[in-house]
Amino acid sequence: MLRPKIPTMPTPTGHVTPPAVVEPTAIVPSTQTPPPAPTAPAPPRPTVQLTPGTALALVGGGTAVVLVVGAVLVSMLLAVAITGASVAVCAVVLRSLLASETKRR
């Protein structure tokens, strides 16, 4: 019922140039060049040596990062706690104002 129609390649229109003929060329032997002089291999990648000073610097840097991240997190937690407490105080004040308004009537 549903059969796909396969398109045919369109024929070129206009002037078509015939393919160019490639003529073989003769191979002329040349003088032999000496192989390049062997170069010294590159030294292997140097290994990192962990000296006591380097270890102390790494420990100090890690400690500083932990302290800074901890201070930032504690300050964010403190900001959230202060905001929550101030919203709670505002809610208590508004509740008391609304309750006193209804008692007067």
Side-chain angles (χ1 to χ4, degrees):
M1 186 171 126
L2 297 173
R3 293 188 179 165
K5 183 177 178 184
I6 300 173
T8 58
M9 267 313 260
T11 57
T13 58
H15 297 289
V16 179
T17 59
V21 178
V22 177
E23 295 181 14
T25 58
I27 299 174
V28 178
S30 63
T31 60
Q32 295 290 334
T33 57
T39 58
R45 188 173 175 190
T47 57
V48 177
Q49 295 180 354
L50 195 60
T51 62
T54 308
L56 188 61
L58 286 175
V59 169
T63 304
V65 168
V66 167
L67 288 177
V68 168
V69 170
V72 169
L73 291 177
V74 167
S75 64
M76 289 173 63
L77 180 64
L78 187 61
V80 169
I82 290 173
T83 304
S86 65
V87 168
V89 168
C90 289
V92 168
V93 169
L94 284 174
R95 184 177 176 192
S96 68
L97 286 175
L98 291 174
S100 66
E101 183 72 29
T102 55
K103 286 182 182 179
R104 286 188 204 165
R105 290 184 182 185

